[in-house]
Amino acid sequence: MSADHSEIKVEVLINKLLAERNMSLRELARLSGIEPSNLSNLANGKRKRIYLEHIERIADALEIDDISKIIKLTKK
């Protein structure tokens, strides 16, 4: 196992979840209490840090109990 972790990337699946539910980013923002700009940055991979509280709020808003439906690890 290499000490270099750059081979793995965390992918946030917000856009997929919204498409499956026919829901807008603004609606998710309203339900989760997360600013639309923060959700947009998460959805588009522009965030370097992901706050667990945001993942919890998204899961609660979308009634998800499996974190792998929200985030996944992919190889670069």
Side-chain angles (χ1 to χ4, degrees):
M1 183 170 180
S2 161
D4 178 15
H5 299 290
S6 62
E7 295 175 18
I8 300 291
K9 180 181 177 192
V10 174
E11 186 178 345
V12 182
L13 307 173
I14 292 173
N15 290 329
K16 178 179 182 240
L17 292 167
L18 294 176
E20 289 173 356
R21 289 165 169 75
N22 197 25
M23 180 185 284
S24 71
L25 196 68
R26 286 198 181 280
E27 179 68 6
L28 179 57
R30 186 185 68 76
L31 292 171
S32 66
I34 301 171
E35 289 293 321
S37 60
N38 286 336
L39 282 175
S40 178
N41 287 336
L42 266 176
N44 296 312
K46 295 180 180 176
R47 298 281 317 224
K48 294 288 184 199
R49 294 185 178 156
I50 300 173
Y51 296 102
L52 291 178
E53 181 183 352
H54 285 179
I55 298 302
E56 290 169 348
R57 287 181 180 188
I58 292 165
D60 190 44
L62 299 178
E63 298 179 355
I64 293 173
D65 60 6
D66 181 355
I67 195 169
S68 70
K69 293 185 187 287
I70 302 172
I71 60 173
K72 75 175 185 177
L73 297 176
T74 57
K75 292 198 178 218
K76 288 186 180 180

